[in-house]
Each structure stands twice: as C-alpha cells, then as structure tokens.
Amino acid sequence: LRGLQRSLAEAAAELELQRGEVTARQEKEQGLAAELRRLQLQLDQGAAAHEREAKTLREQAKAAAKQRDSALREVEDARVQLQLVTEARAAGQRELLEAQREARESKEAEELQRRQ
C-alpha cells in the first residue's frame, strides 16, 4: 500500500511538473504570438509608409520630368530665335557691305566724272 501511495504521490508530482511545463510553454507561445502580432503590425506600418513615400517620389519624378520637358522646349525655342537673329545679322552685314561697296563705286564714278 505504501508503495502504491508513493507511486501515486510521484505520479501526482510528475503531473504537477508537467502542468507547470505546459503552462510555461503556453505562456511562452502566447508571448511569441503577441511578438509576432507586434512585428506584423510594424511590418504593415512600414510597408504603408514605404508605399506613401514611393508614391510621393513618383509624383516628384513626374513633376521633374514635366519641368525638364518644358525647359527643353524653351531651350529649343531660344535656339531657333538665336538662329533667326544670327541669320538676320548676317543678312544685315551683307547689305551693309553691299551698300558700302555701292557708295564707294558711286564716289569713285563721281571722282572720275569730275576729273574728266
């Protein structure tokens, strides 16, 4: 009987020990689950922040591309204007040289006529 009581006491002690281990394991699992939920929330928040930042950067890139395109059009317009001004200046210089030549020839003709 004593052997049976001792076995029963050992079994009860073993059962309590296992209950304690199960409780500790459950508490650890609950802690890990809570940590996992916290990390998932942090990941979700980080992903949302990243998406907002990416959207902002895409919008900024689009605006910069529009500014670049506008600046390139302005540069091309200025290049065309410069070409027109350069051509007009060259034409003006040719006309001036022609007028100077005609004036010189006219003066020379007058000189020649006066001498005769």
Side-chain angles (χ1 to χ4, degrees):
L1 185 64
R2 277 191 191 162
L4 193 55
Q5 286 178 336
R6 188 169 17 108
S7 291
L8 184 59
E10 287 174 2
E14 180 65 27
L15 181 61
E16 279 304 311
L17 181 63
Q18 288 180 356
R19 280 184 183 159
E21 289 175 358
V22 167
T23 301
R25 197 173 306 123
Q26 286 174 339
E27 289 174 356
K28 184 176 181 180
E29 287 174 1
Q30 288 173 352
L32 289 172
E35 178 70 7
L36 182 59
R37 286 189 300 274
R38 185 187 68 75
L39 290 172
Q40 184 63 48
L41 178 62
Q42 187 178 0
L43 176 64
D44 293 345
Q45 290 172 341
H50 173 74
E51 184 54 38
R52 284 190 303 271
E53 184 177 352
K55 182 180 178 184
T56 299
L57 290 173
R58 282 190 298 272
E59 290 170 355
Q60 289 175 349
K62 189 184 243 185
K66 283 183 181 180
Q67 288 178 339
R68 180 203 61 217
D69 292 345
S70 176
L72 288 173
R73 281 191 300 276
E74 288 178 17
V75 165
E76 185 56 32
D77 290 347
R79 187 175 291 129
V80 168
Q81 289 293 344
L82 178 61
Q83 182 64 33
L84 292 173
V85 167
T86 301
E87 289 171 4
R89 181 173 179 240
Q93 286 178 337
R94 284 191 300 273
E95 288 175 10
L96 176 61
L97 290 172
E98 181 64 21
Q100 287 173 341
R101 184 188 60 76
E102 288 175 1
R104 188 178 61 251
E105 287 175 357
S106 175
K107 191 173 184 179
E108 288 172 358
E110 285 177 14
E111 261 318 296
L112 186 59
Q113 208 172 33
R114 206 182 75 211
R115 287 185 191 159
Q116 291 177 352

